[in-house]
Amino acid sequence: MLAVAAMSATMQAKTVKTEIPVNGKCNEMCKPRIEKAAKAVPGVLSATWNLKAQKLTLVYDNTKTDTKKVQKAVAASGHDSGNIKAPQATYNKLPGCCKYRK
């Protein structure tokens, strides 16, 4: 019985909170786009992007996702995330006020 309880405990979801770097320029358009992309990843419980810090604070279920999946989703929306660059064609489609690359 104890072994079954121990096995059950290791299979339970673990909620993880972390920050990942995400580039953007504004709270009006970038913030909602970044947060929407992150929240669309199954397992993400919350995502809040901070313009000044250029960081996305995530709370997620680590049995369903990981930061790499979130970074890929955010990059697919046009924002570089950590070591994952947004595709140039997607970046080019961002409104002018959201373009952060020099």
Side-chain angles (χ1 to χ4, degrees):
M1 183 99 145
L2 193 56
V4 172
M7 217 162 81
S8 173
T10 60
M11 296 179 83
Q12 288 181 353
K14 182 176 179 197
T15 301
V16 177
K17 182 177 180 179
T18 191
E19 290 183 335
I20 56 175
V22 175
N23 296 104
K25 287 198 71 172
C26 67
N27 281 321
E28 293 77 26
M29 297 179 84
C30 296
K31 181 178 175 67
R33 183 183 311 106
I34 292 165
E35 292 175 356
K36 180 180 178 182
K39 290 174 184 175
V41 177
V44 172
L45 305 172
S46 72
T48 306
W49 183 68
N50 181 289
L51 171 64
K52 187 175 180 181
Q54 296 285 295
K55 299 224 184 249
L56 178 67
T57 301
L58 288 174
V59 177
Y60 64 96
D61 175 340
N62 74 347
T63 64
K64 295 181 180 177
T65 195
D66 56 44
T67 56
K68 190 157 198 129
K69 289 177 185 173
V70 176
Q71 287 178 303
K72 286 180 182 179
V74 170
S77 77
H79 296 271
D80 298 346
S81 179
N83 293 328
I84 301 176
K85 290 233 178 234
Q88 189 64 43
T90 305
Y91 175 80
N92 290 343
K93 291 178 184 175
L94 291 176
C97 62
C98 293
K99 293 189 177 175
Y100 49 87
R101 293 180 184 163
K102 300 195 189 246

